[in-house]
Amino acid sequence: MSSPVLQLTSPAKINLHLRVLGKREDGFHALDTRLCPLDLSDTLSFSEGATAGKSELTCTDTSLPTDETNLVMKAVRAFEKATGTVQSWSLHLEKRIPHGAGLGGGSSNAAMTLRGLNLLAGHPLSQETLVTLGSQLGSDVPFFLYDAVCDATGRGEVLTAVDFPWQLPVVLIKPPFGIPTPWAYKQWSTSSQLQGVLYAPQICPWGLMVNDLERPVFEKWSLLPTLKMWLLDQVETHAALMSGSGSTVFAVAQSETDAAALAAKAAAYCGETTWVKVVRAGRP
């Protein structure tokens, strides 16, 4: 592969709150959520394509498909359709964000694909048009085009950037399994709370922390409520929550020092197969 002509950082996110308000007529669920970018990110590189009239994707994570089912390639096709062009790029994705984690990795990759192609083509599409294209690819995609903490409504595509002066020390914990987002939403209306698990909003200086998708997910994957309650029992933890539809559970620590200590405790508690990472949440 030739040297990249463009490299973009593709950040992860957490949901500081996520309320499911009901099902919409279009089949999606109405949401009220706050999305917060992390300093954990993938890198998306654009190089001159080896084959004229054809874009291709490679990825450091061999478990991920690189064909037309990948959101990066879907974003390429959406850009081509919107601009009436054929793109010839070799795209390479260096993955650091785990997939099936509720951290928005695939959505972020799609957003950065749209941004990168638009930049390389001389900005034929407005920011508003990119956001519209992104919303057609996935509800979280538009958020990553904003570079800010955002409140989202609708099905997640109606975004408002919010003032967020905090840089939160966060410990991410992802067990060795993912959770399909459509499944979590489908089970939401018929799910029940488990006894002894905190679902109530946690009051924090930066707002309430609550996630309505914990209810269906915790019913099926009992490790996750156990992990959340363990985190809440730790002196280093200010608040703990599942991100998105899971499977990542995260804790906001009292300080960066506490985050490092908590991560070490979590790694020992969870074992080798669980991914533990200390990050910062807030404005990029």
Side-chain angles (χ1 to χ4, degrees):
M1 184 184 294
S2 59
S3 298
V5 296
L6 178 66
Q7 285 189 320
L8 294 178
T9 297
S10 184
K13 61 82 181 172
I14 52 175
N15 300 77
L16 292 176
H17 70 251
L18 195 165
R19 287 293 201 187
V20 182
L21 306 180
K23 198 165 186 179
R24 295 157 38 121
E25 291 184 1
D26 62 6
F28 290 95
H29 286 78
L31 304 178
D32 173 14
T33 187
R34 174 164 290 182
L35 299 141
C36 188
L38 306 178
D39 65 358
L40 167 69
S41 60
D42 298 334
T43 301
L44 181 63
S45 302
F46 299 76
S47 302
E48 297 288 350
T51 307
K54 184 178 180 182
S55 289
E56 298 175 313
L57 173 66
T58 56
C59 182
T60 56
D61 185 343
T62 56
S63 70
L64 287 178
T66 56
D67 59 12
E68 297 293 322
T69 63
N70 192 292
L71 274 173
V72 167
M73 294 307 298
K74 289 183 178 182
V76 173
R77 302 304 171 222
F79 183 84
E80 289 178 330
K81 184 177 180 181
T83 56
T85 62
V86 175
Q87 299 296 309
S88 303
W89 296 102
S90 291
L91 298 101
H92 180 69
L93 194 53
E94 187 173 343
K95 288 296 289 183
R96 301 178 193 89
I97 305 168
H99 56 279
L103 299 176
S107 296
S108 177
N109 299 157
M112 292 308 104
T113 301
L114 292 175
R115 175 177 286 177
L117 292 174
N118 199 48
L119 178 64
L120 291 166
H123 300 283
L125 303 181
S126 66
Q127 170 76 358
E128 183 180 5
T129 301
L130 290 177
V131 167
T132 299
L133 285 182
S135 70
Q136 296 166 3
L137 295 169
S139 297
D140 283 345
V141 176
F143 160 70
F144 291 103
L145 294 165
Y146 275 74
D147 300 319
V149 178
C150 289
D151 286 343
T153 55
R155 59 182 176 87
E157 85 286 8
V158 182
L159 291 146
T160 304
V162 298
D163 184 35
F164 194 87
W166 297 275
Q167 278 279 350
L168 304 178
V170 171
V171 178
L172 304 174
I173 305 174
K174 184 198 174 290
F177 56 84
I179 294 172
T181 298
W183 178 92
Y185 280 101
K186 186 177 180 181
Q187 302 301 318
W188 165 77
S189 63
T190 57
S191 59
S192 302
Q193 294 187 357
L194 302 173
Q195 287 190 336
V197 177
L198 177 69
Y199 296 88
Q202 300 163 62
I203 301 170
C204 302
W206 48 89
L208 298 179
M209 288 183 55
V210 63
N211 185 347
D212 288 347
L213 291 180
E214 288 181 342
R215 201 176 67 201
V217 172
F218 284 5
E219 269 194 317
K220 184 172 176 64
W221 284 276
S222 58
L223 172 63
L224 299 182
T226 301
L227 181 54
K228 178 183 176 180
M229 296 310 293
W230 178 85
L231 284 168
L232 288 170
D233 282 341
Q234 308 308 306
V235 67
E236 298 91 351
T237 300
H238 188 103
L241 203 66
M242 184 179 78
S243 182
S245 57
S247 60
T248 299
V249 176
F250 68 92
V252 180
Q254 304 284 2
S255 66
E256 292 197 12
T257 301
D258 282 343
L262 181 59
K265 290 167 68 173
Y269 176 73
C270 296
E272 293 180 357
T273 60
T274 297
W275 180 84
V276 179
K277 184 79 172 176
V278 178
V279 299
R280 291 180 182 171
R283 290 193 181 278

